[in-house]
């Protein structure tokens, strides 16, 4: 197999080839480095490359495998890291100027888990400043561009992970999701993005945005790879106060059991108040497909999801302001002005309003879970629109003038706020050739079922196999 | 719940002063608009009766649900 083709494979496929000895980890690393060389100038998915680190780690993996110490499907696999995961040998900027030279003294939990599985990082990926934006704009490092249309945004805040996986610069990336930051770029870039149940993956050693809403999640080409990544990453960690103590599970074990008789609920109201017709059409077609696979689709009433979003916004902004207060007041001129304003606005939220938002969150989480009693999973479009222009601030959707952040995050934020597991998989394309995402949402800790549903859909369609043409053109 | 009063520019400036903002900064007008948006969200949440509800967080007890 020509080395360039290696960059088009999934983790699962690469893992098989490495395990069988058909390819070496060093060949894999070299192929991805060449791909990054070719695409970084046009897509800008990386803030910091780690070529030497990657080659060294690949050589180590090769030696280990040759001496019979094969560690599993991630052994010798390069991973892209959103640039807020600490790596003790490479800077962690968190997409900011202020932390542009920050060197951590230890690795994040994610990096430790990767190393234990034989994986290594190949670079630190683009993100919006301190993860506080759903676009892919960054005034310090430039915008990350969408591989399907370089004039459009990749989505955020895990913009580099979305763009890098979609363009074959990494086979997998790890992002974080506070209001949709894994699923939104996954949807806009046409890849798979999983946000597990709150607390399932340790956040130790990742720059926080909002302690009670931050999640870590894998961004991959396939659902199978997301399941394998969850196997690698999910683990109790006493260093993260919200880490959940769970028995280890194999999330890939039941992937191929199908969706026969699975009950899928589709919310009847909030989602559709702001929705691009092309996105809705792709979603409705996906539901027909799920029905043809044996699942049962039913409309359900949910509590006011807009209120959940409002609670999430107050909580997130208040926590972000607490985290960044001293720096935003002393060094505010080094922040992007719009991110600075959003952080500063949190300084004006009274303690009782923050706590009331947490009460609302708790109450509506309970009501939402009750409304899920008669279904196994929920389905929605991931975003209300496909990828907007890089600098676009507003969009008109069926006569409504909507801010881009609202159009991108209003559906995903609900499920970050209540901590439920959710996955985005590609479910079609607009007439303009932009990917559309299908979001499936599960009950707490039902990742196996959620991944099974996503896998059934993905295996019966070919949206995830399409590759963006613009990046192949010189 | 008692209705939350609207945030006036004068009250905003007092609060900004307490937080340590530079008062001669023309940026404050833009920040005021952002803070007003946040106050509208707080007012929206004030409609929800939360008596007897403990403030939650993202945490979900692992034993609250049986994994599939």
């Amino acid at each position: 197999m020509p080395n360039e083709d290696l960059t088009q494979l999934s983790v699962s496929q690469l893992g098989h080839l490495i395990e069988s000895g058909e390819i070496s980890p060093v060949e894999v690393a070299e192929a991805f480095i060449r791909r990054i060389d070719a695409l970084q100038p046009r897509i800008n998915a990386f803030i910091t490359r780690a070529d030497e680190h990657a080659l060294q780690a690949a050589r180590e993996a090769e030696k280990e495998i040759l001496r019979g110490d094969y560690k599993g499907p991630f052994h010798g696999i390069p991973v892209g890291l959103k640039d807020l995961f600490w790596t003790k040998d490479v800077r962690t900027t968190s997409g900011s100027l202020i932390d542009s030279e920050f060197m951590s003294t230890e690795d994040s939990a994610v990096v430790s888990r990767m190393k234990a599985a034989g994986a290594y990082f190949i670079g630190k990926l683009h993100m919006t400043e301190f993860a506080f934006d759903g676009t892919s704009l960054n005034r310090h490092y430039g915008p990350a561009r969408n591989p399907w249309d370089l004039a459009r945004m990749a989505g955020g805040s895990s913009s580099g992970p979305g763009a890098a996986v979609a363009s074959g610069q990494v086979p997998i990336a790890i992002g974080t999701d506070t209001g949709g930051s894994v699923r939104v770029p996954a949807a806009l870039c046409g890849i798979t993005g999983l946000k597990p149940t709150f607390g399932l993956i340790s956040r130790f050693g990742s720059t926080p945005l909002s302690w009670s809403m931050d999640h870590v999640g894998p961004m991959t080409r396939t659902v199978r790879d997301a399941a394998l990544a969850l196997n690698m990453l999910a683990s109790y960690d006493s260093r993260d106060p919200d880490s959940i103590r769970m028995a280890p599970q194999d999330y890939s074990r039941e992937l191929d059991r199908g969706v026969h008789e699975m009950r899928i609920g589709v919310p009847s109201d909030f989602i559709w108040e702001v929705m691009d017709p092309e996105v809705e059409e792709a979603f409705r077609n996906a539901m027909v497909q799920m029905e043809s696979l044996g699942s049962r689709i039913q409309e359900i009433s949910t509590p006011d999801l807009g209120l959940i979003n409002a609670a999430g916004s107050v909580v997130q902004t208040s926590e972000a302001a607490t985290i960044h207060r001293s720096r935003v007041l002393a060094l505010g001129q080094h922040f992007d002005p719009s991110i600075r304003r959003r952080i500063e606005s949190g300084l004006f939220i009274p303690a009782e309003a923050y706590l009331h938002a947490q009460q609302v969150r708790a109450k509506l989480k309970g009501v939402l879970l009750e409304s899920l009693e008669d279904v196994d999973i929920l389905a929605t479009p991931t975003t209300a629109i496909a990828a907007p222009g890089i600098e676009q601030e507003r969009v008109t959707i069926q006569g409504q003038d909507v801010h881009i952040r609202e159009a991108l995050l209003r559906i995903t934020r609900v499920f970050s706020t209540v901590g439920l597991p959710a996955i985005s998989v590609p479910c079609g394309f607009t007439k303009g050739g932009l990917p559309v995402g299908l979001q499936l949402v599960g009950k707490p800790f039902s990742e196996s079922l959620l991944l099974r549903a996503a896998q059934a859909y993905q295996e019966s369609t070919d949206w995830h196999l399409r590759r963006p043409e613009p990046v192949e053109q010189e | 719940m008692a209705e939350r009063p609207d945030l006036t520019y004068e009250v905003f400036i007092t609060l900004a002063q307490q937080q340590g903002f530079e008062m001669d900064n023309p940026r404050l007008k833009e920040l005021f608009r952002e803070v007003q948006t946040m106050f509208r969200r707080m007012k929206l949440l004030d409609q929800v009766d939360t008596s007897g509800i403990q403030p939650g967080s993202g945490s979900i007890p692992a034993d609250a649900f049986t994994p599939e």
Side-chain angles (χ1 to χ4, degrees):
Chain A
M1 170 177 287
N3 273 1
E4 272 52 45
D5 292 350
L6 295 177
T7 63
Q8 300 303 311
L9 301 181
S10 66
V11 169
S12 178
Q13 290 169 319
L14 286 168
H16 284 304
L17 293 173
I18 290 173
E19 184 182 14
S20 66
E22 287 175 67
I23 56 170
S24 79
V26 174
E27 285 176 276
V28 172
E30 287 172 346
F32 279 101
I33 287 170
R34 278 195 297 275
R35 182 79 172 165
I36 297 166
D37 283 340
L39 295 185
Q40 171 65 8
R42 278 182 285 160
I43 294 181
N44 195 32
F46 286 76
I47 289 178
T48 305
R49 293 177 59 171
D51 297 5
E52 280 311 309
H53 167 87
L55 286 167
Q56 179 60 31
R59 285 192 283 268
E60 284 297 316
E62 193 158 305
K63 281 185 212 158
E64 289 164 355
I65 293 167
L66 282 173
R67 67 170 182 255
D69 184 18
Y70 180 68
K71 294 177 178 171
F74 279 93
H75 204 166
I77 299 290
V79 178
L81 290 174
K82 184 177 184 177
D83 196 16
L84 51 58
F85 291 108
W86 296 358
T87 46
K88 65 182 172 189
D89 303 322
V90 175
R91 69 174 181 164
T92 302
T93 72
S94 302
S96 72
L97 188 63
I98 288 172
D99 279 344
S100 60
E101 301 303 326
F102 171 65
M103 298 290 287
S104 61
T105 53
E106 52 190 326
D107 283 333
S108 58
V110 160
V111 171
S112 301
R113 299 287 301 173
M114 281 167 43
K115 282 183 178 172
Y120 59 88
F121 65 90
I122 195 166
K124 307 295 287 288
L125 296 171
H126 188 282
M127 57 182 287
T128 55
E129 189 170 6
F130 292 120
F132 207 170
D133 196 12
T135 71
S136 58
L137 292 173
N138 187 308
R139 78 187 298 238
H140 313 300
Y141 302 98
R145 296 179 181 276
N146 192 310
W148 294 92
D149 180 343
L150 300 178
R152 293 179 182 271
M153 62 174 71
S157 62
S158 307
S159 30
V165 173
S167 57
Q169 296 181 76
V170 291
I172 174 175
I174 312 296
T176 56
D177 187 316
T178 305
S181 292
V182 160
R183 291 158 289 155
V184 169
L188 268 49
C189 293
I191 64 167
T192 299
L194 170 67
K195 182 199 79 67
T197 307
F198 184 75
L200 202 56
I201 299 178
S202 170
R203 302 161 307 172
F204 173 77
S206 58
T207 305
L209 171 63
S210 170
W211 298 291
S212 72
M213 288 179 59
D214 290 342
H215 302 65
V216 173
M219 299 169 73
T220 57
R221 297 194 137 176
T222 66
V223 173
R224 184 172 301 282
D225 284 359
L228 294 174
L230 194 57
N231 285 348
M232 171 173 72
L233 297 173
S235 177
Y236 173 71
D237 183 354
S238 60
R239 299 169 300 176
D240 177 348
D242 290 307
S243 181
I244 298 286
R245 204 181 285 273
M246 295 273 291
Q249 289 185 52
D250 179 358
Y251 293 98
S252 66
R253 196 169 53 121
E254 298 190 348
L255 271 184
D256 298 314
R257 276 187 52 201
V259 289
H260 187 64
E261 296 294 312
M262 194 180 283
R263 299 163 304 167
I264 301 178
V266 177
S268 55
D269 32 38
F270 173 83
I271 305 293
W272 311 109
E273 291 164 11
V274 178
M275 181 56 62
D276 179 89
E278 282 195 87
V279 173
E280 179 167 354
E281 186 185 351
F283 171 79
R284 300 287 178 199
N285 290 338
M287 290 302 96
V288 170
Q289 180 67 12
M290 290 300 267
E291 213 157 24
S292 77
L293 295 172
S295 60
R296 285 183 281 145
I297 312 295
Q298 59 191 84
E299 280 208 342
I300 64 162
S301 294
T302 57
D304 187 339
L305 303 181
L307 280 174
I308 295 179
N309 274 347
S313 175
V314 171
V315 168
Q316 177 184 325
T317 308
S318 189
E319 292 183 3
T322 309
I323 289 162
H324 293 293
R325 180 179 185 276
S326 56
R327 295 201 295 182
V328 83
L329 288 176
L331 301 165
Q333 71 276 19
H334 297 308
F335 284 71
D336 175 286
S338 71
I339 302 231
R340 178 186 187 183
R341 270 196 308 277
R342 291 168 66 203
I343 292 172
E344 286 173 339
S345 72
L347 297 172
F348 294 83
I349 298 172
E352 60 76 21
Y354 169 76
L355 288 167
H356 180 63
Q358 290 284 35
Q359 285 180 303
V360 172
R361 186 181 179 192
K363 178 174 181 171
L364 296 184
K365 180 160 69 180
V367 180
L368 179 61
L369 287 171
E370 277 171 27
S371 73
L372 300 185
E373 273 177 6
D374 294 332
V375 296
D376 298 303
I377 59 171
L378 272 184
T380 72
T382 308
T383 57
I385 53 171
I390 291 264
E391 301 274 356
Q392 194 174 338
E393 289 188 356
R394 305 195 72 84
V395 60
T396 302
I397 306 173
Q398 297 195 297
Q400 294 180 83
D401 178 44
V402 182
H403 197 283
I404 287 297
R405 278 204 299 271
E406 167 77 358
L408 293 177
L409 294 167
R410 67 191 303 272
I411 306 173
T412 53
R413 183 191 292 283
V414 171
F415 305 104
S416 304
T417 303
V418 294
L420 300 185
I423 190 168
S424 179
V425 293
C427 71
F429 285 81
T430 64
K431 292 185 186 76
L434 299 172
V436 175
L438 162 67
Q439 177 177 238
L440 301 175
V441 182
K443 297 173 189 176
F445 309 111
S446 68
E447 275 78 2
S448 286
L449 186 76
L450 185 66
L451 288 160
R452 199 175 111 198
Q455 167 79 352
Y457 176 74
Q458 195 162 79
E459 280 297 295
S460 69
T461 57
D462 68 354
W463 307 116
H464 65 295
L465 299 175
R466 301 191 184 187
R467 298 290 178 252
E469 282 179 18
V471 298
E472 308 303 340
Q473 295 161 358
E474 288 301 325
Chain B
M1 181 180 274
E3 193 178 342
R4 191 179 299 275
D6 287 327
L7 181 73
T8 63
Y9 191 67
E10 290 67 35
V11 171
F12 164 75
I13 287 295
T14 306
L15 292 172
Q17 212 156 12
Q18 284 171 359
Q19 285 286 357
F21 283 86
E22 291 170 22
M23 285 301 104
D24 56 352
N25 197 328
R27 230 174 33 80
L28 284 177
K29 287 223 162 67
E30 283 179 284
L31 177 58
F32 177 55
R33 280 195 288 277
E34 192 86 33
V35 176
Q36 279 184 311
T37 302
M38 196 52 66
F39 267 65
R40 279 196 288 277
R41 290 187 188 123
M42 291 189 277
K43 285 183 94 151
L44 190 66
L45 296 177
D46 287 344
Q47 301 165 14
V48 183
D49 178 9
T50 52
S51 357
I53 305 278
Q54 289 280 333
S57 70
S59 286
I60 300 165
D63 57 2
F65 295 87
T66 308
E68 299 294 331

